[in-house]
């Protein structure tokens, strides 16, 4: 009793004096659910929650957390987690924590927040609120019907109908059709409290409510194998609806579904465009109302006469029905819609990152090439389209043709576009000023030729609109070397241009496909530059969907029929592993484990004596230096089995782990015995052969120095040049640097003669090119068929800028332990990189002045780091103003004869030391 009295009086005194419970300055931010901020339609039964912890000062960590999930903001404000209260969980985990509360139904709103405890067990304040909502989890949640308008298609159909691609011979010639416009007017008797739309289509759609475009996304609902899976998008539309009359209007276009895709022409997946839309409205009165796509909608064609992803868009402004998206429009002479009930593909909530407009580019130059024909130079190659402002007579056609390069006579170089027409046409209505941009096509370009204008085209009348999957930028890099900075910038632009709904090979020619090989080898670079977690979560489903029963995987995903290949199919194993490594994501491994096993089984069935006989596209785009297919295939066989052993272990599949480990060792043995000579020459004697053998650990340690020697000799014998294609280039700089040839790695990076990144830049590159010899001032264009000027594959060296020049790496999965190990060279005096990891912000910045190495680093709370300084004198290192021995936050030890290791916790540090030469 006395004790209680004491506590109460203490509380009273506290209240009177205003003292509070101590609150840790450690706090949680950046709350995400399934990698997304406040997602509107989650389908995972136990969604994964992540946050970052932040704190000032050093050695800050999380010792425990508590998650509250409530069904309303009111409950959450009272700290009541009616859906889930995790209680205080003793754990330093902040990433991918599964929700473990009550079962969540379709549409459930889940408001959540986190409290964390620091290293001294002092609690933080609660985080800001975050939210996720559940999607439509059951088929019967959908009442909307699939509707469309086929009149133009019916007229043009001279051959088979759905089911698609079942042996019906498709005509190859391009036969464009106008886009269906669909509309419906409806009344709401009461004020709207909240509303959502769940919407999808076969083909792509654009939706308007009362004349306002819904959302900022383009090319929705994205690209999948539409026979298997169709995603729906969810938008909050409460503020677009009002009491009284409302109008929903939708345009459908061919997209990937019915338009030109890869080099397969139109109608690869199907031809009947369809819409399914379900608006669910909560009225202030408490009533719920649904407005759905059904037979009551009206349809017609409008101004968009054709729209094709590769060919372009034709818009006749004279044919655009005025006000068709608004209430009161007379659709009396519009037609009835048709509906389909035979679509059986799985409907799921879109898990990826939609394409959006991210910036506009102002031209650097506009010039007239022939009378009335203007060429606009945007100064940057990119993916997107043009936005043009015109003042023309009714019926005049403005033609916009796109190209990446110019011919010597300043005309557009378009032969590399192959079958992609890449042309947009705008036919004027005659209004005083018309601003137009396409919506359902995109182009890869730097130049636009504009003809048909009666007045001169000016810099002010045109803009380049940049579009891509709007992934959050996570990385930055710069150095004292302008060439390296430009290579970095070009890599970034090629990622932007090719992370376009799926990781594509190129944005300009009639291909633009999700090539697996390119995707796997660029992925690590990509993951430094941007947050690729949701983008790859989506794409890996496309990869699994591109697998056949026997385990083969089409080399392109979403599925387009292309042969399987070693190094390409292996993306099914390498990419989930990379996601695990970057984001500590084990669920992705579990989800795709069977796909991986099947691919391995297939590869095994195609192996003899543990050497893979799989076909491969080889070291694509090498410099006359073909690596034998069995070297490539067996190297990837080894790489994949080694990763499988690690992933099986992670999932607790111990038998599998042992099996893959043994297989992997047998492959190594067989590779050495059969494909490496006694003198250490890898069959084919190519740089890529040596690189694969070294990087994927295919020879015993004792042989490594000889292989390194052969690799280096080959490079030197070519006037210090690479001869690698996309598979070898990816491994070139890291393998040289890790095997004692850092200087040579820098030399190759800094070269400006053929073949090199610098050579591209000297010839005007603003992106990464597909071929080393794509174009040069002396030789012009060497090839028209395979000559993309925006292909990210050679850009896979970007990872080395972050991991080696600036030195930021993850030591194990998900940046819980961080390595900062910069390796200066090439005469560079300064480099800096930042990286927003899954656990927070990391920075490394170094400068060399007069033999002194200055290294500034930032390490996020709740992580530790090993920092490497290029000195053999640990005791001489200074941190800030002090000798390091006096700094209690740093543990120092000699690492090797020239390097000191400093172990630290979170915080900002500034080290300085004399470099040991
Ligand atoms: C693509 C490459 C791809 C290759 C397969 C090409 O057409 O553009 O990037 O990996 O085919 O060899």
């Amino acid at each position: 009793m006395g004790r209680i009295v004491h506590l109460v009086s203490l509380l009273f005194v506290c209240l009177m004096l205003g003292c509070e419970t101590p609150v840790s300055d450690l706090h949680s931010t950046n709350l995400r659910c399934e990698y997304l901020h406040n997602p509107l339609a989650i389908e995972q039964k136990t969604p994964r929650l992540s946050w970052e912890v932040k704190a000032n000062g050093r050695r800050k960590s999380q010792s425990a957390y508590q998650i509250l999930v409530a069904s309303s903001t009111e409950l959450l404000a009272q700290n009541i987690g009616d859906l889930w209260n995790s209680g205080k969980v003793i754990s330093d985990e902040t990433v991918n924590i599964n929700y473990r509360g009550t079962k969540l139904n379709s549409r459930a709103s889940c408001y959540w927040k986190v409290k964390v405890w620091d290293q001294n067990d002092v609690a933080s304040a609660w985080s800001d609120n975050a939210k996720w909502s559940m999607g439509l989890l059951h088929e019967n949640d959908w009442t909307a019907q699939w509707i469309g308008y086929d009149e133009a298609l019916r007229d043009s159909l001279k051959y088979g109908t759905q089911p698609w691609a079942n042996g019906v011979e498709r005509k190859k010639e391009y036969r464009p059709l106008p886009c269906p416009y669909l509309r419906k007017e409806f009344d709401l008797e009461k004020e709207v409290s909240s509303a959502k739309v769940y919407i999808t289509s076969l083909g792509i759609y654009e939706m308007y409510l009362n004349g306002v475009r819904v959302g900022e996304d383009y090319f929705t609902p994205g690209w999948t194998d539409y026979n298997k899976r169709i995603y729906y998008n969810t938008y909050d539309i409460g503020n677009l609806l009002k009491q009284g009359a409302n109008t929903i209007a939708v345009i459908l276009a061919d997209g990937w579904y019915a338009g030109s895709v890869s080099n397969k022409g139109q109608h690869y997946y199907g031809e009947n465009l369809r819409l399914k839309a379900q608006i669910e409205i909560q009225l202030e009165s408490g009533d719920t109302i649904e407005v759905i796509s059904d037979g009551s909608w009206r349809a017609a064609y409008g101004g968009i006469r054709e729209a094709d992803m590769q060919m372009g868009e034709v818009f006749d402004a004279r044919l655009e029905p005025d006000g068709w998206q608004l209430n009161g429009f007379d659709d009396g002479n519009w037609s009835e819609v048709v509906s389909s009930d035979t679509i059986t593909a799985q409907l799921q909530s879109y898990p990826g990152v939609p394409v959006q407009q991210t910036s506009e580019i102002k031209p650097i130059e506009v010039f007239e090439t022939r009378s009335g024909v203007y060429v606009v130079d945007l100064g940057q190659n990119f993916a997107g389209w043009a936005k043009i402002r015109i003042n023309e007579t009714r019926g005049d056609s403005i033609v916009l043709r796109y190209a990446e390069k110019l011919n010597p006579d300043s005309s557009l170089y378009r032969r590399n576009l192959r079958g992609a027409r890449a042309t947009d046409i705008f036919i004027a209505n005659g209004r005083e000023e018309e601003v137009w941009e396409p919506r359902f096509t995109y182009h890869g370009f730097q130049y636009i030729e504009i003809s048909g204008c009666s007045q001169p085209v000016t810099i002010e009348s045109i803009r380049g609109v940049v579009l891509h999957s709007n992934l959050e930028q996570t990385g930055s890099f710069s150095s004292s070397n302008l060439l390296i900075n430009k290579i970095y910038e070009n890599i970034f632009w090629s990622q932007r241009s090719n992370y376009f709904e799926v990781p594509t090979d190129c944005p300009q020619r009639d291909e633009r496909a999700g090539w697996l090989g390119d995707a796997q080898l660029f992925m690590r670079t990509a993951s430094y530059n941007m947050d690729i977690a949701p983008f790859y979560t989506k794409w890996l489903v496309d990869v699994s969907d591109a697998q056949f029963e026997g385990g083969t995987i089409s080399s392109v995903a979403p599925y387009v029929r292309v042969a399987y290949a070693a190094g390409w199919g292996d993306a099914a194993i390498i990419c989930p592993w990379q996601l695990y490594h970057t984001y500590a994501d084990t669920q992705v491994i579990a989800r795709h484990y069977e796909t991986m096993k099947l691919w391995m089984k297939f590869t095994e069935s195609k192996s003899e004596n543990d050497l893979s006989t799989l076909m491969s596209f080889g070291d694509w785009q090498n410099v006359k230096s073909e690596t034998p297919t069995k070297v490539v295939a067996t190297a990837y066989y080894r790489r994949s089995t080694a990763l499988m052993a690690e992933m099986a272990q992670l999932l607790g599949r111990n038998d599998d782990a042992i099996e893959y480990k043994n297989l992997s060792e047998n492959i190594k043995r067989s590779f050495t015995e059969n494909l490496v000579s006694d003198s250490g020459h890898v069959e084919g004697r190519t740089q890529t052969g040596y690189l694969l053998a070294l990087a994927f650990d295919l020879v015993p340690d004792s042989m490594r120095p000889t292989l390194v020697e052969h690799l280096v000799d080959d490079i030197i014998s070519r006037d210090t040049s690479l001869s690698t294609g996309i598979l070898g280039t990816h491994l070139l700089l890291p393998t040289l640097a890790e095997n004692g040839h850092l200087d040579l790695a820098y030399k190759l990076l800094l070269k400006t003669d053929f073949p090199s990144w610098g050579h591209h830049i000297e010839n005007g590159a603003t992106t990464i090119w597909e071929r080393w010899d794509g174009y040069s001032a002396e030789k012009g264009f060497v090839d028209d068929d395979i000559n993309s000027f925006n292909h990210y594959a050679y850009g896979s060296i970007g990872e080395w800028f972050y991991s080696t020049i600036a030195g930021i790496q993850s030591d194990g999965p998900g940046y819980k332990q961080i390595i900062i190990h910069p390796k200066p060279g090439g005469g560079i005096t300064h480099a800096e990189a930042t990286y927003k990891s899954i656990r927070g912000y990391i920075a490394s910045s170094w400068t060399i002045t007069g033999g002194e190495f200055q290294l500034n680093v930032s390490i996020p709370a709740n992580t530790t780091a090993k920092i490497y300084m290029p000195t053999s004198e640990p005791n001489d290192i200074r941190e800030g103003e002090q000798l390091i021995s006096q700094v209690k936050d740093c543990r120092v030890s000699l690492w090797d004869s020239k390097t000191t290791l400093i172990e630290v916790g979170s915080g900002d540090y500034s080290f300085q030391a004399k470099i040991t030469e």
Side-chain angles (χ1 to χ4, degrees):
M1 184 66 183
R3 218 182 117 123
I4 293 172
V5 172
H6 177 72
L7 276 177
V8 170
S9 47
L10 195 69
L11 192 65
F12 179 75
V13 172
C14 261
L15 284 173
M16 294 310 288
L17 297 176
C19 56
E20 289 168 5
T21 331
V23 175
S24 171
D25 84 324
L26 189 79
H27 60 282
S28 36
T29 67
N30 196 13
L31 274 60
R32 282 147 295 157
C33 172
E34 290 296 331
Y35 295 122
L36 304 168
H37 290 109
N38 304 319
L40 290 177
I42 287 293
E43 291 190 349
Q44 284 81 353
K45 291 196 174 76
T46 59
R48 292 169 302 165
L49 307 177
S50 305
W51 59 90
E52 271 171 43
V53 283
K54 283 194 175 153
N56 297 324
R58 291 178 173 174
R59 288 190 176 270
K60 297 294 170 70
S61 56
Q62 170 189 300
S63 58
Y65 67 79
Q66 182 178 9
I67 303 172
L68 289 186
V69 185
S71 57
S72 71
T73 43
E74 290 76 27
L75 287 171
L76 197 62
Q78 295 164 43
N79 297 335
I80 298 173
D82 59 328
L83 298 175
W84 188 36
N85 179 349
S86 72
K88 182 176 176 182
V89 180
I90 306 298
S91 164
D92 63 355
E93 194 47 275
T94 57
V95 170
N96 287 329
I97 295 165
N98 281 100
Y99 166 85
R100 298 208 184 285
T102 53
K103 188 168 168 244
L104 298 171
N105 296 324
S106 295
R107 307 176 180 86
S109 294
C110 308
Y111 301 88
W112 66 290
K113 60 184 181 181
V114 187
K115 177 195 276 195
V116 292
W117 281 260
D118 68 15
Q119 63 286 345
N120 300 320
D121 202 26
V122 178
S124 73
W126 286 103
S127 69
D128 288 344
N129 291 356
K131 185 190 174 184
W132 83 86
S133 305
M134 298 302 283
L136 301 184
L137 306 179
H138 313 288
E139 227 179 288
N140 60 11
D141 287 322
W142 285 95
T143 47
Q145 295 166 23
W146 288 104
I147 61 168
Y149 181 50
D150 296 340
E151 201 169 293
L153 177 69
R154 228 181 353 256
D155 288 349
S156 89
L157 273 185
K158 303 278 185 288
Y159 58 99
T161 50
Q162 291 175 11
W164 39 77
N166 64 346
V168 177
E169 199 187 320
R170 286 182 300 276
K171 290 198 177 168
K172 271 284 186 170
E173 75 264 24
Y174 174 55
R175 295 181 311 156
L177 295 169
C179 289
Y181 287 28
L182 312 171
R183 75 184 301 279
K184 179 183 169 77
E185 218 167 299
F186 57 94
D187 263 319
L188 294 175
E189 283 177 7
K190 302 269 163 44
E191 286 290 339
V192 174
S193 151
S194 67
K196 269 186 195 151
V197 61
Y198 303 92
I199 178 167
T200 184
S201 58
L202 285 174
I204 48 182
Y205 70 85
E206 193 168 76
M207 177 193 183
Y208 296 84
L209 272 173
N210 296 322
V212 179
R213 190 182 192 278
V214 174
E216 290 171 7
D217 308 336
Y218 287 83
F219 308 104
T220 45
W223 186 3
T224 50
D225 180 348
Y226 304 96
N227 297 303
K228 294 188 174 161
R229 199 181 303 276
I230 307 169
Y231 290 123
Y232 65 88
N233 308 106
T234 308
Y235 297 98
D236 228 319
I237 51 165
N239 58 351
L240 297 178
L241 296 173
K242 54 185 184 354
Q243 187 174 7
N246 290 274
T247 297
I248 173 171
V250 178
I251 307 174
L252 293 177
D254 287 353
W256 296 277
Y257 172 74
S260 308
V261 73
S262 192
N263 56 2
K264 307 285 183 192
Q266 290 169 286
H267 302 161
Y268 189 69
Y269 300 99
E271 50 212 12
N272 298 109
L273 304 185
R274 291 291 178 264
L275 166 75
K276 190 166 188 155
Q278 184 160 312
I279 298 184
E280 299 184 354
I281 307 162
Q282 293 284 334
L283 296 176
E284 291 287 3
S285 60
D287 294 336
T288 304
I289 290 192
E290 267 192 1
V291 179
I292 55 167
S293 50
D294 61 14
S296 66
W297 288 49
R298 309 287 287 169
Y301 297 111
I304 307 181
R305 305 317 293 168
E306 58 176 282
D308 182 275
M309 302 293 277
Q310 300 179 355
M311 300 302 185
E313 198 159 315
V314 177
F315 184 76
D316 188 338
R318 296 168 305 174
L319 300 178
E320 187 69 351
D322 238 352
W324 73 279
Q325 297 131 319
L326 301 173
N327 301 325
F329 174 81
D330 179 7
D331 58 18
N333 60 353
W334 283 36
S335 307
E336 284 186 358
V337 293
V338 290
S339 57
S340 306
D341 52 13
T342 52
I343 297 160
T344 51
Q346 234 181 314
L347 264 191
Q348 289 178 334
S349 175
Y350 184 73
V353 186
V355 175
Q356 294 184 335
Q357 296 194 8
T358 58
S359 60
E360 288 193 359
I361 299 183
K362 187 174 174 180
I364 55 169
E365 198 184 358
V366 177
F367 50 93
E368 198 170 7
T369 46
R370 282 172 286 134
S371 171
V373 179
Y374 295 85
V375 169
V376 177
D377 179 358
L378 290 149
Q380 176 63 54
N381 195 348
F382 65 99
W385 57 54
K387 179 154 98 181
I388 185 158
R389 188 177 319 134
I390 34 191
N391 209 328
E392 293 295 334
T393 316
R394 187 173 169 83
D396 282 357
S397 291
I398 314 300
V399 180
L400 300 113
R401 297 165 73 236
Y402 296 82
E404 292 182 288
K405 288 253 163 211
L406 295 183
N407 290 311
D409 67 356
S410 291
S411 61
L412 300 186
Y413 169 72
R414 283 171 45 99
R415 292 190 299 277
N416 68 331
L417 305 184
R418 305 195 309 216
R421 195 188 60 187
T423 302
D424 297 330
I425 301 175
F426 176 78
I427 303 166
N429 184 308
R431 288 205 186 99
E432 201 158 298
E433 186 180 82
E434 295 176 86
V435 178
W436 182 75
E437 60 190 310
R439 287 170 276 187
F440 300 114
T441 186
Y442 78 102
H443 315 289
F445 67 106
Q446 173 172 340
Y447 300 94
I448 315 161
E449 181 201 85
I450 305 177
S451 57
C453 291
S454 61
Q455 290 147 26
V457 174
T458 65
I459 283 189
E460 288 314 321
S461 59
I462 186 133
R463 289 288 176 271
V465 178
V466 180
L467 286 123
H468 54 89
S469 289
N470 198 2
L471 279 61
E472 184 189 347
Q473 179 169 346
T474 46
S476 73
F477 174 88
S478 73
S479 75
S480 56
N481 186 292
L482 297 183
L483 176 62
I484 299 183
N485 297 351
K486 182 65 183 159
I487 298 172
Y488 174 80
E489 199 182 299
N490 289 2
I491 294 170
F492 223 106
W493 271 107
S494 279
Q495 180 170 354
R496 275 191 199 111
S497 318
N498 284 298
Y499 271 33
F500 205 100
E501 169 60 19
V502 305
T504 64
D505 58 336
C506 58
Q508 74 297 91
R509 68 178 176 227
D510 60 349
E511 192 153 13
R512 313 179 188 191
W515 282 95
L516 272 62
D518 309 48
Q520 61 89 358
L521 58 86
F522 185 70
M523 190 175 172
R524 186 158 180 235
T525 295
S527 74
Y528 277 113
N529 286 338
M530 301 181 195
D531 174 8
I532 61 166
F535 184 76
Y536 263 84
T537 302
K538 186 258 170 194
W539 187 67
L540 283 169
V541 176
D542 297 329
V543 173
S544 284
D545 282 351
Q547 184 170 50
F548 290 84
E549 245 169 52
T552 60
I553 300 176
S554 165
S555 289
V556 160
Y559 172 71
V560 171
R561 195 176 181 84
V562 176
Y564 61 80
W568 274 253
D570 293 286
I573 285 152
I574 295 167
C575 297
W577 182 86
Q578 188 63 53
L579 272 194
Y580 159 70
H581 183 74
T582 312
Y583 303 104
D585 188 339
T586 45
Q587 186 170 298
V588 71
I589 299 173
R591 181 167 187 189
H592 297 290
Y593 192 70
E594 289 312 312
T595 302
M596 301 190 217
K597 273 192 82 164
L598 256 183
W599 169 254
M600 287 313 329
K601 207 167 152 198
F602 171 70
T603 313
E604 207 177 335
S605 75
K606 291 280 173 199
S607 70
E608 284 163 21
N609 189 21
D610 296 322
L611 299 178
S612 171
T613 65
L614 275 196
M615 104 84 173
S616 178
F617 301 109
D619 189 23
W620 187 247
Q621 297 306 339
N622 60 73
V623 187
K624 294 193 180 107
S625 181
E626 208 57 65
T627 305
T629 308
K630 60 184 161 189
V631 171
V632 169
T634 307
Y636 269 95
Y637 190 23
R638 156 82 174 165
R639 173 77 176 145
S640 287
T641 43
L643 295 180
M644 280 305 279
E646 193 183 329
M647 291 191 281
Q649 190 77 56
L650 272 169
L651 298 186
R653 313 272 288 242
N654 297 342
D655 292 350
D656 283 3
I658 293 167
E659 204 177 296
Y660 286 122
K661 178 114 187 59
N662 291 340
L663 182 55
S664 175
E665 287 307 313
N666 293 344
I667 298 166
K668 176 174 177 175
R669 199 169 313 119
S670 191
F671 185 93
T672 308
E673 281 169 17
N674 296 290
L675 299 175
V676 187
S677 71
D678 292 343
S679 55
H681 287 105
V682 174
E683 201 168 303
R685 300 187 178 208
T686 62
Q687 293 176 14
T688 293
Y690 297 117
L691 289 166
L692 288 167
L694 291 163
F696 295 171
D697 187 23
L698 281 147
V699 291
D701 287 354
S702 59
M703 286 183 89
R704 291 180 70 89
T706 325
L707 265 74
V708 173
E709 213 177 292
H710 293 322
L711 168 65
V712 171
D713 286 350
D714 190 277
I715 294 171
I716 305 287
S717 74
R718 292 167 190 268
D719 196 18
T720 314
S721 278
L722 57 79
S723 67
T724 48
I726 63 175
L727 299 183
T729 302
H730 160 51
L731 307 171
L732 184 63
L733 304 185
T735 310
L736 284 171
E738 279 154 27
N739 289 280
H741 292 276
L742 183 69
D743 281 358
L744 188 54
Y746 271 106
K747 267 190 197 141
L748 293 175
L749 175 62
L750 294 172
K751 265 174 82 84
T752 52
D753 53 348
F754 172 83
S756 66
W757 298 270
H759 188 243
H760 287 169
I761 288 167
E762 298 235 315
N763 282 284
T766 58
T767 38
I768 299 295
W769 293 357
E770 178 173 23
R771 328 168 50 104
W772 293 118
D773 59 358
Y775 170 82
S776 66
E778 313 83 61
K779 296 190 175 162
F781 301 100
V782 296
D783 192 287
D784 293 330
D785 231 25
I786 298 175
N787 204 359
S788 147
F789 292 96
N790 203 349
H791 236 71
Y792 58 54
Y794 290 155
S796 58
I797 51 158
E799 64 179 73
W800 199 74
F801 297 12
Y802 290 96
S803 69
T804 306
I805 303 182
I808 299 176
Q809 294 176 39
S810 181
D811 189 7
Y815 291 87
K816 185 80 173 93
Q817 274 95 42
I818 294 160
I819 291 175
I820 305 284
H821 194 169
K823 293 188 181 148
I828 301 168
T829 53
H830 169 73
E832 61 182 78
T834 62
Y835 175 58
K836 254 184 96 184
S837 76
I838 187 88
R839 292 179 209 272
Y841 177 83
I842 304 169
S844 165
S845 165
W846 58 260
T847 307
I848 298 173
T849 6
E852 287 271 322
F853 194 75
Q854 167 82 42
L855 176 63
N856 297 336
V857 302
S858 293
I859 303 299
N862 203 36
T863 68
T864 57
K866 289 178 180 157
I867 298 168
Y868 296 82
M869 282 286 285
T871 175
S872 59
E873 303 295 335
N875 294 332
D876 291 351
I877 299 176
R878 287 180 309 283
E879 198 282 307
E881 300 297 309
Q882 290 174 296
L883 274 178
I884 201 155
S885 51
Q886 291 159 4
V887 182
K888 65 175 180 359
D889 302 311
C890 305
R891 226 177 46 222
V892 192
S893 57
L894 193 62
W895 175 248
D896 65 22
S897 62
K898 288 182 175 180
T899 321
T900 296
L901 165 66
I902 309 167
E903 289 171 89
V904 300
S906 67
D908 295 338
Y909 300 85
S910 179
F911 302 106
Q912 216 176 332
K914 193 128 210 91
I915 299 171
T916 305
E917 294 301 339

